[in-house]
Amino acid sequence: MLSAFTARPIVELKQRDKSKIESVLAYGDRLLVGLNTGSLRIYRVNDPIDEASERNGSPTDEDRPTSQSGPKPADLMRELEKFSKYKVEQLAVVKEANILVSLSNSQVHIHDLQSYELQETLTKAKGASAFAVTSNVVKDESTGVPSIVSRLAVAVKRRLILWSWHDSELAAETSEITLVNTIRALNWASGTRLIAGLNSSYVLVDVETSAVTDIIGPGSIGGAPGQDGGRFSGAGVASMGYLGMTSPPPLATQLGEGEMLLAKDINTLFIDTDANSLGRRQIPWSVAPEAVGYSYPYLLALQATKGTLEVRNPETLSLLQTISLPSAHQLHVPQPTVSLAHAGKGFLVLSDRCIWRMKALDYDAQIDALVEQGRLDEALSLLGMLEDALLKDKQARVRDIKIIKAQQLFDQRRYRDSIDLFTEVSAPPERVIRMYPPFIAGVISPLSLLHEGNLKKDHFEAGTDGASDARTSSEGTPPTKPLSESNAKDPNGGSERQDGEKSLEGKDLKIATEELRGFLVSARTKFKKILDTDGDVKVEVLDKMPQKELRDIASLIGRPTLDASEDQEQLLQTAKLVDTTLFRAYMFVSPSFAGPLFRIDNFCDPDVVNERLIEAHRYNDLVDFFYGKKLHCPALELLKKFGEAEEESQDAPQLHGPQRTVAYLQNLPSEMIDLILQFAEWPLRKDPDLGMEVFMADSENAETLQRPKVLEFLQSIDEKLARTYLEHIIQELNDNTPDFHQRLVNIYIERLKSGDFASDDDQAAWKEKTLDFLKTSKNYPAYEALHKLSKDDPNLLEARAIVLSKMGQHRLALNIYVFQLQDADKAEEFCNQIYLTETANAPAPTPHGRATDIDPSDAPPSIYHTLLSLYLSPPPPHKSQWGPALNILAKHGARMPAASTLNLIPEILPIKELESYFQGRIRTANTLVNEGRIVAGMRSALAFSEEAKLRLGDGVRGGNDGRNRRIVITEDRLCGVCYKRFGGSVIKVLPEYVQSFIPVKRKFLLTRREHSNTVIHYGCSTR
């Protein structure tokens, strides 16, 4: 049993004293005792028991009152023998009014609290059977000033009479409420509401509104309004008067905030201050109590017939302690509104001859006692009722007890309830995981290797999901202290833990592991909030996280608080344990869930995962795991092993061939170029087109690779791969590196030189590609390309001409076209391209005209002039070519200087042959003249239109009227600048818009825009 209270007698009547104790009142260090003789004794209560020693120790016999030697617990200060003529049935104090209230001979008396002299007898309360006093702090509705309001309620048969004091002043008016039956007991539920116990029921009375509410409860507590509805017609089991038994009194006590307990006979009802039932079960009393009370946080019941005091938990209703108090018949618990001395520290129990003082033991010691007794629910309930200030680290105590309870639930095979409780308190994962066998818990399992082997054998033979995925120990853990063969298995064949309890196996293990996954996922989610992929703490997230979440994460690593710098390593290790155990759980219960775990950031132990997945032949998941952990070399080795195999493996058919390796290499960052090149060779040799996707894919990784390294690597394998890569980076990625362009030129030229083509069409296509690249590329060094081009190779002559042109040697290039290739069309096309290029770079036309196509006499010769000179004045031993020359003169004669052109024409050439030349020049000159006339006419028309708009307006309604505007000047019209009347002054009408500057106080100018038709003084326009 719990030792919540210890009983110590503080007042004991001597044997020769024939008096009996009828009532008692404790306030401060004073104890007032009313006797049956009408006397009042005043005691001063000492505290002879050292409170510290009492809290730290416990008596040897807690079920009986203790008597200790030393100072008296109470000293008799005074005795008033004539306090009353009759026995003092009840005592109360109104401290604010400095008065003592007593009930004697069915009358209520008012005494002075200091001298105890009678001040007044309440005549209205004649015939009183009980009274109740309360004091509360109330704020004035109008002023908001707080004041102490005390109320006295007296029960006189069916009447309820009320007196009130505001601070220390007695209110002049009293109120009276008549109920349906005789009042037997009164208890305040709040400052304005009163519970009245009647003969057969209870009612709730609002003293401010005089509203009466019937309380309906089970058995003898009450029924519907107007009925005596109760068990045995309103009488309890012990209330059958014809058997000579008295009806038990209605009992009531205030519990926690807003709660009350009603009790009659053995029936109980928990209600709130609005008389609504709280829906709790009844207290399992076998005998009706004599009195009930509440001493924070316990419910008290005095069983007079048994001579015991029961201490119960008001939430669970469990009996926690039974204290033997012979002949005790009355409880005295000071109300919170009168005294806070009882606040869990003590109350009084009295019999006819003795008064016991009940002292509460230390709450932490009470919690420890309940935990030692295994009453964890009672300990948690008590912790929930106690304030934080009354305990040492209440949250930690609650958490520790819930962890113990979760362990008990787990041992009882209530796995879901257990894991839910572990999750609720954020228990350290190691504490939870170590309850499982080694192939789930790993090295932290307390089981031996021998036990582990027995367990695995049992589970794998059971055929559970994932059993084949966990055939051996997870990590090859170092052996712990081995158990003997007799301890490894029990007589029934079941394995045992080191503590003697049966371990998990078969169906139980599967169910427990399924529940474990929820706990691990919850813990993993919390760790992911504050840990990045590298295991570093996210300080910025930690600073913004609510305190509750911080406490939960700290609880996971067994810390009261979380420190980012000091606890980083512990956080990482715990996260690693959680993820690794979650992986083991997935592999045992549902292996298909292991794959998604690898595709997100995780902290799984690579050694454990590698071993388990290889045993389970889940190579594809192993590759995904290696990629997520950035263990790329083992992953690529595994892919190479299965990819290069001649036959497809049944264990990993999706890894056969280079496809998976290429996809893996494409996802590697460009910084890992060496690793990429190391494992890209075999896919390139097996499938070059697919292998080149590693370097030519449309992705950032491929485009940011170190191109010189890639090029050298591809060149070492096959020149075709290097050419393909060069064409990709130059033509698609627009890489302008001269070295890359030159290398591609060299590849094109060397192929042309070799002449290794399957057909003439292939050679022609290759030559066309080479010439196109030589023409379009501007980044290769032309002089180096020229050295590669032989003068004697006919396949390279045109390429040589293009390169010479790139170097500015146009005449040499034309020599090749005219004399070596003897292709006039290509020579003309070459000149056209050069001319267009020069024209595009020529100066812009002048404002008065455009650049003419006819060069002045002093202009430099054009490219056509050079070509014409080669036709008409060829170097020896070549002869003049009249036909192509005349064709050039006819088509492009206007683009050449006339004087130098005519000088090139030999005198022997007939004038008739030059007819087309002269027609072309005349036609071009006429075109220029006509163009000038047209431009002049258009400018004239534009000037005429603008002048018409200025003089006549634009003809649009509401638009600009030009100089044709008409302004009407009336006497009321003012100047737009000085705002004076015009009179006979000279005026000026502003244009459509004008920027005007107005002086302000001779210091500043105010700028504004005037609208059309604004009229001002002529003199104001000069301001």
Side-chain angles (χ1 to χ4, degrees), residues 4-5 55 295-297 340-346 359-361 363 366:
F5 299 97
R55 287 178 178 269
S295 180
Y296 179 83
L340 296 177
H342 81 287
K345 293 183 178 180
K359 291 285 289 185
L361 299 182
Y363 291 125
Q366 297 181 37

Side-chain angles (χ1 to χ4, degrees), residues 189-321:
S190 65
T192 59
R193 295 185 177 185
L194 192 69
I195 295 292
L198 308 181
N199 281 333
S200 58
S201 63
Y202 288 86
V203 294
L204 176 67
V205 181
D206 191 321
V207 298
E208 291 184 334
T209 62
S210 299
V212 179
T213 303
D214 292 282
I215 300 175
I216 301 175
S220 58
I221 287 182
Q227 298 179 358
D228 288 336
R231 198 163 50 179
F232 304 110
S233 300
V237 176
S239 62
M240 299 182 183
Y242 64 90
L243 295 178
M245 303 176 64
T246 58
S247 174
L251 305 176
T253 184
Q254 187 174 4
L255 301 178
E257 186 68 25
E259 296 182 6
M260 290 200 70
L261 169 66
L262 307 182
K264 189 170 184 183
D265 199 356
I266 59 172
N267 298 307
T268 56
L269 176 66
F270 292 91
I271 63 171
D272 58 16
T273 54
D274 295 325
N276 298 318
S277 174
L278 299 179
R280 297 184 189 174
R281 63 187 181 90
Q282 297 194 47
I283 300 175
W285 282 326
S286 58
V287 180
E290 184 72 19
V292 295
Y294 177 75
S295 180
Y296 179 83
Y298 296 109
L299 174 63
L300 309 173
L302 185 60
Q303 300 285 358
T305 58
K306 296 181 179 181
T308 59
L309 177 68
E310 293 183 354
V311 180
R312 292 181 181 270
N313 185 327
E315 290 186 350
T316 64
L317 307 182
S318 301
L319 180 61
L320 301 179
Q321 184 181 11

Side-chain angles (χ1 to χ4, degrees), residues 362-433:
D362 181 59
Y363 291 125
D364 288 299
Q366 297 181 37
I367 299 297
D368 293 338
L370 288 173
V371 173
E372 290 176 2
Q373 298 169 13
R375 308 181 69 177
L376 303 181
D377 290 331
E378 298 298 334
L380 291 173
S381 176
L382 182 59
L383 284 169
M385 292 185 290
L386 292 172
E387 297 293 334
D388 294 356
L390 301 176
L391 296 164
K392 298 176 183 178
D393 198 356
K394 175 181 175 180
Q395 293 182 351
R397 296 297 300 272
V398 171
R399 174 176 170 272
D400 293 342
I401 295 174
K402 285 187 176 181
I403 290 176
I404 298 173
K405 180 181 178 182
Q407 176 68 61
Q408 289 186 354
L409 293 173
F410 194 89
D411 295 337
Q412 298 168 5
R413 309 203 185 286
R414 296 169 58 185
Y415 303 117
R416 172 165 295 183
D417 295 338
S418 173
I419 297 301
D420 288 346
L421 198 54
F422 277 127
T423 305
E424 177 187 341
V425 300
S426 298
E430 182 177 358
R431 175 70 176 79
V432 181
I433 295 170

Side-chain angles (χ1 to χ4, degrees), residues 699-712:
S699 64
E700 183 180 358
N701 291 339
E703 293 177 4
T704 55
L705 289 172
Q706 299 180 30
R707 293 169 184 173
K709 278 191 174 183
V710 175
L711 186 59
E712 293 297 333

Side-chain angles (χ1 to χ4, degrees), residues 674-688:
D674 295 333
L675 186 66
I676 294 174
L677 298 182
Q678 178 184 352
F679 289 94
E681 183 175 355
W682 78 267
L684 286 170
R685 295 189 184 278
K686 195 162 189 176
D687 190 343

